[in-house]
Amino acid sequence: MLKYLIIPLADDSVSFCHYERGNKSDRLIDMETLKNAIFWAMTENLNVQFVYPDKEIPSAYKAIVETIDHAKIVGSHCEDKVLTDEADIVVFDGWNDLDTFKCQSGKSYVVRTDKADLFDNADVIKSLFPKLDRLVVVITDIDKFQESDFQKYEALLNAMIPIIKEEYGKGHSLHFNLLTDRMFLDKMNNCNAGDETITLAPDGKFYICPAFYLDGSKTVGDPVTGLDIKNRQLYRLDHAPICRKCDAWQCRRCVWLNRKTTLEVNTPGHEQCVVAHIERNASRRLLDEIRTLGEFLPEKEIKEIDYLDPFEIIKQ
Ligand code: SF4
């Protein structure tokens, strides 16, 4: 069932996920289309997320946006500083500006990084934990991970565990998606693009997610004629034969990455699975560590497993 509508307000709206930001045009969504999209979201009872470009949008657009409850996703380089202050989610491309940016408590900060920059910035990440309440790291080249990267990734997450434990010891319930999300989950909590989330792009058409719009994929309808997703069941967890048996519940289960790596939206690539399982197993170790401080999530159990790619188990 649909729950969320993502509306990138321009072709070059900030990317908050694995895909690269659009760079071919700075076209804004048409104002009538925006009004229709908001009306459609109201009739479908959807939560709306507006994704902003770095250039300030005209005040007429701001007035339309404010006609519906919504979340704002804004880039750290947005010209509109009032908007950046009001944003629910601020997105950084890389680690460079984070030490000087004035972070606010209660807000989510997303950092898009490739694996090389991630491995080089372990100290920056550690230094952020006392300052932020929610840090979301999105690795933009997961599909390029190799065996040596998996080992570096595991070492990086292990090095974060004592620092996060220290924060919890101080009463700071920090959320760091790569390590703490899995501790709190009872079931799959994925992106669910095409099932629970749909995107209305600046061309006035629906797409599975902003990445599908930017890579030239086919539209899946518009607010006037409605949604038309071919083989819609393939976007659901119950039609993802590997993922539905998996307990790396924090995994994004990115259908765009799936299609890029396996040509099937419901079949993940090896790299996405191994990365998610390294996170899952590190979360297990973090949970054990925090419990040495006192009672913490007593009903939660993350089982010990001896595989990193569920496909290997299914093959047997
Ligand atoms: S780790 Fe792999 S199998 Fe598990 S949810 Fe993620 S993509 Fe699916």
Side-chain angles (χ1 to χ4, degrees), residues 188 190 242-243 246-248 251-254 258 268-269 272-274 276-277 309-310:
M188 277 286 179
N190 319 126
I242 306 172
C243 301
C246 175
D247 78 345
C251 177
R252 284 196 176 224
R253 204 169 70 79
C254 174
N258 288 356
Q272 185 172 196
C273 289
V274 175
H277 278 78
D309 184 348

